[in-house]
């Protein structure tokens, strides 16, 4: 069983489907209690609105990636994943100063790891190719 783009796409989808509910719950927990990396959301309740929309949307992207890993053109779903990760990754870079001045700054390194890692994984899957449908 060799590693190919389909396996990477599928494992990436599984990771995103796992992270989506975990991070959504962590955001709600931080907002309600004021603790954890999202504890700053209690001071800025409008910030949670974006997170509780963005995380489930990434979950939907993950479901499409999972389904696309078995399809005839998985490279399209790798492209979708790259594009989906580029949006928050670029927003973090462009809005770095105001984000780092905000109370949710402790959550930002993890966000860079998640989105940067997702982009790298799908670039690797494009590089390796997708082999036969499995």
């Amino acid at each position: 069983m060799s590693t190919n783009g389909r396996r990477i796409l599928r494992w990436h989808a599984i990771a995103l489907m796992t992270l989506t509910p975990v991070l959504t719950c962590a955001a709600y927990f931080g907002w309600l209690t004021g603790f954890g990396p999202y504890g700053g959301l209690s001071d800025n309740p409008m910030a949670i609105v974006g997170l509780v929309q963005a995380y489930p949307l990434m979950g939907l992207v993950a479901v499409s990636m999972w389904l696309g890993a078995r399809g005839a053109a998985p490279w399209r779903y790798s492209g979708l994943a790259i594009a989906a990760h580029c949006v928050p990754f670029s927003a973090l870079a462009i809005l770095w100063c105001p984000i780092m001045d905000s109370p949710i700054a402790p959550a930002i390194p993890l966000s860079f790891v998640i989105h940067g890692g997702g982009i790298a994984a799908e670039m690797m899957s494009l590089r390796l190719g997708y082999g036969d449908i499995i």
Side-chain angles (χ1 to χ4, degrees), residues 23 25-43 48 103-104 106-107:
L23 293 176
C25 289
Y28 275 122
F29 179 79
W31 173 57
L32 293 170
T33 66
F35 294 110
Y38 294 104
L41 292 173
S42 62
D43 296 334
I48 195 167
I104 64 163

Side-chain angles (χ1 to χ4, degrees), residues 8-128:
I8 293 171
L9 184 61
R10 199 166 35 249
W11 281 104
H12 185 187
I14 290 168
L16 281 177
M17 285 187 280
T18 303
L19 278 173
T20 294
V22 169
L23 293 176
T24 303
C25 289
Y28 275 122
F29 179 79
W31 173 57
L32 293 170
T33 66
F35 294 110
Y38 294 104
L41 292 173
S42 62
D43 296 334
N44 185 3
M46 288 308 293
I48 195 167
V49 174
L51 293 175
V52 298
Q53 292 177 55
Y55 291 146
L57 284 172
M58 283 301 280
L60 289 174
V61 168
V63 170
S64 70
M65 290 163 54
W66 172 262
L67 296 171
R70 293 195 177 273
W75 60 271
R76 291 179 178 167
Y77 297 91
S78 291
L80 172 67
I82 291 168
H85 282 297
C86 279
V87 172
F89 194 81
S90 64
L92 290 171
I94 292 167
L95 300 170
W96 180 259
C97 288
I99 291 172
M100 293 315 288
D101 290 339
S102 76
I104 64 163
I108 301 310
L110 177 61
S111 190
F112 265 109
V113 168
I114 290 169
H115 297 299
I119 292 167
E122 292 311 321
M123 294 297 282
M124 179 65 75
S125 104
L126 287 170
R127 175 73 176 101
L128 289 174

